[in-house]
Amino acid sequence: MIAIEQIINHIGENKSFVLEAGAGSGKTYTLIQTINHVLATKGKSIKLNNQRIVCITYTNVAKNEIIERLENNPLVIVSTIHEFLWDCIKRFNKQLIIELDVLNEFMIANSKKPEKYKTGLKDRIKTEVKYDDSGYRDFEQGSLHHDDVITLSLQMFKNYTALTQILGQKYPYIFIDEYQDTASETVDAIVNHLLERNKTKLLVGFYGDSYQKIYDEGIGSLESYVDENKLKLVTKDDNYRSSESVVNLLNNIRDNITQTIPDRKESIEGSIQFINCTNDSKQPKEKVADYKERVAPKKDSDYNSVVSSLEKNGWDFSELGDDKILIIANSKVAERAGFGNLYKTYSKRFYDPKAELLNRENHFASYFFGSKDKKTSKERETGIEHLISFWENKNYNRVIKYLKQQGVFSALTKHSDKQEIENKLEELTTLRTTGTVEDVFNFCQENRLSLPSIKLQKFIEKLSIDITNISNDKEQKTAIKNKEFYESLMQINYKEIIYAFKHIKEQTSYSTKHGTKGEEYRNVLVVIDDTSWPGQYNFEKFFNNTDDKEHRKLRTKNLFYVSCSRAKENLVVLALSQMGITAMNKITEWFGAENIQIK
């Protein structure tokens, strides 16, 4: 019996379930099929009882895709997990304050910075508890961080039976996409408390793949809930994406699903290859940094040689090409994509440089790159690079609209005004390829092409404050870091901003292995290197099964699986750090001796 038929049977018997679906199996399609089935068979009663079907997704991008595929059906609430949970608990402010006080006491006892929290919160807080997606936390003001919503939801679901009864009446069907990335606390809240108290009223369906858990926060597997008979297991073993060679490799990597290629799909044999690069070993007294520097030229040479060879064989790594290079670390992607110094500058200043630079949460990043609306995932085309893009594409209406939205040109009616703008934009276009970030930033200010945000203006103003006059040590350190960051950023060649923008717009062949989940490409080159992120990933120990750190072993296995599963036709894995004999025995077993190359 195929997966959707099993799901329909479970729905008919009111049995909650988990769909375990391998890469390329059409999991989201099955989710949409499920919801459409419920709408067709239960839609009238759901509408009559003023109820809603809930579909929970992991990202806003996925949320908007599902809303579109369901044609904005008003009977279905599609939201991210944080949106859904907050909507469930936000109306119960009195109880929220009680639970927030419990969380506050926990933070005092367990936080690395307990001084940030003061005991007796419930007696002081006089405001409504609130949450938005800014990631900002201030318990004294009732402001919650993303993680707090997860924790408080579990506490509320667990401690307030009336709340779970209300939710069970409102939402008879809850479907959760990418279950493996859902926090274990959330699964606990939904299965052990919400579902447990509403067995006859509520059905919960989880959709995902335990082998595609690549973030630390997710639960990964729901096997324990299946064993306890709280959820029925449904497996989906189709692979509509990949060639025979790639599917066979994926089946070697995983042990809980053996995928097959549906008969209706055109058969593509494809190819797989593993390239093991030989490297000098680290000397006993040699420092890690010195070793990395010594072997870097050989690694770069091997990498460039492989890429060149693949291009000669028809692989297309151009800006609009069909093929992709997957690298484990954002810093390495930045180096290959031409904005290594820019990423390094952000890395020195920020704990999460990817969020600040590539996700454009930093004020300078949004000034140059624009930003993305977190709720709709729509691009806010407010960055300098957007302005240049409009200009180079001769989209003059968008140029005028951009300038007017910035408030720097209220009227552009005279021919002389337009000529002035044309001259400035032509000069800016040239300056971007020859000058520094400071040159371009100052030019845009002086010529009123784009004004900085209020937050960016305040940041720049604070740079002029005499640091010696700041008495607070923490504030002084922050001021020093901000000044060093600003001075370093301004001296970077502006071309790196251009390259970073191309990467953000997915106009390069490079990506991190994390950033491609859900994506697919004609051919894929997966680059692994055990010196890139040794605390998180070790591929050699994964292959030879000697890693004593279970979390790292699982993380490495899943990332390798996800990376390889992106390929539709041909896959090449390039090991820049040498794999030993035992590891190569397993690799040869998986890939086949004829598909191994030593470089």
Side-chain angles (χ1 to χ4, degrees), residues 145-400:
H145 183 268
H146 314 304
D147 296 340
D148 305 329
V149 174
I150 299 294
T151 304
L152 287 172
S153 298
L154 174 56
Q155 293 174 206
M156 294 283 285
F157 281 35
K158 182 178 181 180
N159 296 332
Y160 301 97
T161 302
L163 169 62
T164 52
Q165 289 175 338
I166 291 169
L167 296 174
Q169 182 61 41
K170 288 177 65 176
Y171 307 125
Y173 298 94
I174 298 176
F175 301 110
I176 301 172
D177 196 16
E178 304 290 1
Y179 80 75
Q180 71 277 358
D181 294 324
T182 304
S184 57
E185 297 96 325
T186 299
V187 177
D188 182 7
I190 290 175
V191 177
N192 292 331
H193 303 291
L194 179 58
L195 178 60
E196 189 68 21
R197 296 171 188 159
N198 294 279
K199 285 183 177 179
T200 60
K201 301 177 186 175
L202 171 64
L203 181 143
V204 180
F206 293 91
Y207 295 71
D209 182 4
S210 58
Y211 270 66
Q212 294 193 63
K213 175 191 179 293
I214 58 175
Y215 304 108
D216 289 340
E217 296 80 9
I219 191 170
S221 173
L222 295 179
E223 187 176 355
S224 62
Y225 291 94
V226 174
D227 291 342
E228 293 169 4
N229 205 31
K230 292 182 178 181
L231 299 173
K232 296 295 182 181
L233 177 64
V234 180
T235 58
K236 196 172 194 306
D237 57 10
D238 302 315
N239 189 312
Y240 295 94
R241 175 189 298 153
S242 300
S243 63
E244 292 179 29
S245 295
V246 174
V247 170
N248 289 337
L249 173 65
L250 299 179
N251 287 336
N252 286 332
I253 298 172
R254 72 182 302 156
D255 57 14
N256 64 345
I257 290 178
T258 300
Q259 289 190 310
T260 58
I261 299 174
D263 293 336
R264 61 179 175 273
K265 179 180 176 182
E266 181 182 348
S267 179
I268 301 173
E269 183 178 352
S271 67
I272 57 174
Q273 185 179 29
F274 191 98
I275 302 173
N276 188 25
C277 296
T278 56
N279 282 308
D280 291 338
S281 301
K282 179 178 173 294
Q283 299 304 310
K285 294 183 179 181
E286 189 176 21
K287 293 180 179 179
V288 173
D290 293 338
Y291 172 70
K292 286 184 179 181
E293 185 177 353
R294 180 165 64 84
V295 299
K298 169 72 163 54
K299 289 183 177 181
D300 287 341
S301 175
D302 289 338
Y303 169 85
N304 292 331
S305 173
V306 169
V307 170
S308 176
S309 175
L310 292 174
E311 288 178 327
K312 288 178 181 176
N313 287 326
W315 287 41
D316 185 1
F317 294 127
S318 65
E319 189 171 301
L320 299 176
D322 296 322
D323 307 323
K324 203 76 169 177
I325 301 172
L326 304 186
I327 302 173
I328 191 169
N330 281 294
S331 58
K332 290 294 181 183
V333 169
E335 283 179 27
R336 301 294 185 193
F339 59 100
N341 292 321
L342 178 63
Y343 194 87
K344 194 177 295 182
T345 296
Y346 271 81
S347 298
K348 288 180 179 178
R349 174 60 187 91
F350 300 106
Y351 172 76
D352 189 351
K354 179 193 172 189
E356 299 295 334
L357 177 63
L358 302 180
N359 294 352
R360 299 169 278 181
E361 293 179 9
N362 173 256
H363 309 314
F364 274 108
S366 59
Y367 178 82
F368 291 113
F369 305 134
S371 60
K372 183 175 284 189
D373 188 296
K374 290 184 178 181
K375 291 185 177 180
T376 65
S377 299
K378 289 184 179 179
E379 187 77 9
R380 293 191 182 113
E381 298 178 324
T382 56
I384 288 298
E385 287 305 296
H386 288 110
L387 174 61
I388 291 299
S389 176
F390 299 147
W391 177 250
E392 292 181 337
N393 291 325
K394 295 182 169 53
N395 191 342
Y396 302 125
N397 287 334
R398 289 296 286 116
V399 171
I400 300 300

Side-chain angles (χ1 to χ4, degrees), residues 334-507:
E335 283 179 27
R336 301 294 185 193
F339 59 100
N341 292 321
L342 178 63
Y343 194 87
K344 194 177 295 182
T345 296
Y346 271 81
S347 298
K348 288 180 179 178
R349 174 60 187 91
F350 300 106
Y351 172 76
D352 189 351
K354 179 193 172 189
E356 299 295 334
L357 177 63
L358 302 180
N359 294 352
R360 299 169 278 181
E361 293 179 9
N362 173 256
H363 309 314
F364 274 108
S366 59
Y367 178 82
F368 291 113
F369 305 134
S371 60
K372 183 175 284 189
D373 188 296
K374 290 184 178 181
K375 291 185 177 180
T376 65
S377 299
K378 289 184 179 179
E379 187 77 9
R380 293 191 182 113
E381 298 178 324
T382 56
I384 288 298
E385 287 305 296
H386 288 110
L387 174 61
I388 291 299
S389 176
F390 299 147
W391 177 250
E392 292 181 337
N393 291 325
K394 295 182 169 53
N395 191 342
Y396 302 125
N397 287 334
R398 289 296 286 116
V399 171
I400 300 300
K401 184 179 179 181
Y402 178 98
L403 295 172
K404 287 184 176 180
Q405 284 177 335
Q406 293 291 318
V408 289
F409 293 98
S410 58
L412 291 169
T413 55
K414 297 179 184 177
H415 177 72
S416 58
D417 293 337
K418 295 179 180 180
Q419 186 62 53
E420 180 186 357
I421 293 298
E422 180 179 343
N423 294 338
K424 288 178 179 180
L425 289 175
E426 286 293 344
E427 190 175 348
L428 175 60
T429 302
T430 302
L431 186 62
R432 287 166 60 253
T433 62
T434 59
T436 63
V437 172
E438 184 175 36
D439 293 333
V440 173
F441 184 67
N442 288 343
F443 181 86
C444 290
Q445 305 311 299
E446 292 164 4
N447 292 280
R448 299 168 59 241
L449 291 175
S450 187
L451 295 178
S453 66
I454 293 174
K455 290 182 179 179
L456 182 53
Q457 290 179 45
K458 288 181 178 179
F459 175 86
I460 295 172
E461 288 170 5
K462 288 181 179 179
L463 295 174
S464 61
I465 297 174
D466 187 348
I467 294 174
T468 58
N469 291 333
I470 302 175
S471 57
N472 185 292
D473 287 345
K474 185 178 179 181
E475 291 180 5
Q476 190 179 75
K477 288 179 181 178
T478 299
I480 292 171
K481 288 180 180 179
N482 285 341
K483 192 159 189 171
E484 290 175 346
F485 165 73
Y486 174 79
E487 290 173 349
S488 178
L489 176 65
M490 290 296 109
Q491 296 311 305
I492 292 172
N493 190 315
Y494 191 84
K495 281 185 178 179
E496 296 207 20
I497 294 284
I498 298 174
Y499 294 139
F501 185 67
K502 286 181 179 293
H503 177 71
I504 290 168
K505 300 293 288 181
E506 298 181 355
Q507 294 173 353

Side-chain angles (χ1 to χ4, degrees), residues 504-522:
I504 290 168
K505 300 293 288 181
E506 298 181 355
Q507 294 173 353
T508 72
S509 61
Y510 304 98
S511 182
T512 60
K513 298 180 179 72
H514 298 79
T516 61
K517 199 169 85 165
E519 300 293 327
E520 58 184 41
Y521 310 98
R522 183 184 65 173

